[in-house]
Amino acid sequence: MRVRVLALAAVALWSVAFLAAQGKVSTPEELDKTMKRVNEANRAMAKALGSSAWGDVRTQLAIVKQGVTDAESFWILHKKEDAQKFTKDVLAKLDAFGKLVATDTVDGAAAAVAAKEVGAACRSCHMVYRAQDDKQQYIIKPGTIGGN
């Protein structure tokens, strides 16, 4: 019995360590840094989309997707179910967009529509959880998470 309890405790500790390693974004400050990287990559992706530079679109898309995935860990950690839904929706839109730009024979019009759908999905979360500071930079809305 004692061995079983110790084994369960070891598995529990390993699980916590594994989840902590996966959750790269745990503080509002880390979320802001992540979202700023996403914004920069999104702007570069839009520019590349406008010039049909599909390789660059795919490169920036990977950065955007990783940032949104990292942000999802923040919302999971802080138990914000609606924000988790928002990020899942954004990730689904990013996947759909990614499929459209996966080759060099891209339907540019369809890709532009899909990119707008990604932006709309992002705005859904921003409407609830993001505000702009006096420099028009997005920040997490004060009071959203515990003591911020």
Side-chain angles (χ1 to χ4, degrees):
M1 181 68 154
R2 183 178 171 154
V3 171
R4 188 179 297 169
V5 170
L6 289 174
L8 287 173
V11 168
L13 286 173
W14 178 84
S15 297
V16 168
F18 177 78
L19 290 173
Q22 297 302 307
K24 298 175 184 171
V25 178
S26 61
T27 67
E29 296 78 18
E30 290 170 340
L31 179 66
D32 280 340
K33 287 179 186 176
T34 298
M35 290 293 95
K36 283 178 177 46
R37 279 193 309 274
V38 167
N39 183 46
E40 290 172 15
N42 192 53
R43 286 179 187 216
M45 186 171 66
K47 183 177 178 182
L49 180 63
S51 62
S52 301
W54 306 119
D56 293 341
V57 168
R58 290 187 290 271
T59 298
Q60 298 306 317
L61 173 61
I63 295 167
V64 170
K65 189 171 180 180
Q66 184 61 57
V68 174
T69 300
D70 290 347
E72 184 179 30
S73 67
F74 175 85
W75 298 120
I76 291 169
L77 178 67
H78 292 284
K79 299 178 172 82
K80 296 291 186 176
E81 291 182 17
D82 59 338
Q84 292 171 46
K85 181 185 176 306
F86 292 140
T87 55
K88 286 186 188 323
D89 186 40
V90 171
L91 289 168
K93 301 288 186 195
L94 287 168
D95 284 343
F97 177 69
K99 288 176 184 172
L100 288 171
V101 299
T103 67
D104 287 335
T105 56
V106 175
D107 177 344
V113 169
K116 287 180 183 179
E117 290 175 358
V118 169
C122 290
R123 281 188 296 282
S124 295
C125 189
H126 283 208
M127 296 297 291
V128 177
Y129 288 105
R130 305 291 272 166
Q132 289 183 318
D133 64 15
D134 56 351
K135 296 177 185 171
Q136 301 303 306
Q137 298 293 311
Y138 278 106
I139 58 171
I140 192 166
K141 283 185 180 176
T144 296
I145 303 299
N148 87 339

